[in-house]
């Protein structure tokens, strides 16, 4: 989970610091939705359905992004690839978070 968070920060820095990158309105909306989603997962009143819903949402974004990308978009310097990489790291973070919460919940029940 920590490694995923570090990779997310690194990828965001990569996206933000490149002067040639411009973020579209739809990307900004997705990023806002993802930020809100991650904030909600840290609330005390979260549940596994919320985590699974967030995981499904990120999986959907990955699928849509992957299908819309052309061959040239899959290079390391491409903005589309950086954004897709960010989505994969978010997916990994959510999976790790779910695993930790699940394991902790099971330990408390025993």
């Amino acid at each position: 989970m920590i490694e995923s968070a570090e990779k997310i920060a690194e990828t965001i820095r990569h996206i933000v610091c490149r002067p040639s990158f411009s973020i579209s309105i739809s990307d900004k909306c997705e990023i806002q939705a993802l930020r809100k989603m991650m904030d909600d997962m840290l609330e005390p009143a979260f549940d596994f359905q919320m985590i699974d819903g967030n995981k499904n949402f990120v999986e959907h974004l990955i699928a849509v992004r992957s299908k819309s990308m052309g061959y040239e978009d899959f290079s390391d310097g491409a903005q589309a690839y950086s954004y897709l990489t960010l989505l994969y790291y978010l997916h990994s973070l959510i999976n790790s978070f779910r695993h930790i919460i699940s394991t902790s919940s099971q330990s408390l029940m025993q």
Side-chain angles (χ1 to χ4, degrees), residues 52-105:
D52 290 340
N54 294 345
K55 180 176 165 275
N56 292 338
F57 178 62
V58 173
E59 287 172 354
H60 170 74
L61 292 177
I62 289 170
V64 169
R65 284 285 170 165
S66 297
K67 288 178 185 173
S68 69
M69 290 171 61
Y71 178 76
E72 66 281 352
D73 292 329
F74 284 96
S75 66
D76 281 337
Q79 180 178 356
Y81 184 72
S82 294
Y83 190 76
L84 182 64
T85 302
L86 174 65
L87 293 174
Y88 274 110
Y89 289 139
L90 285 168
H91 186 260
S92 177
L93 180 78
I94 292 169
N95 282 334
S96 298
F97 182 74
R98 189 184 193 299
H99 179 74
I100 289 169
I101 296 300
S102 176
T103 303
S104 298
S105 296

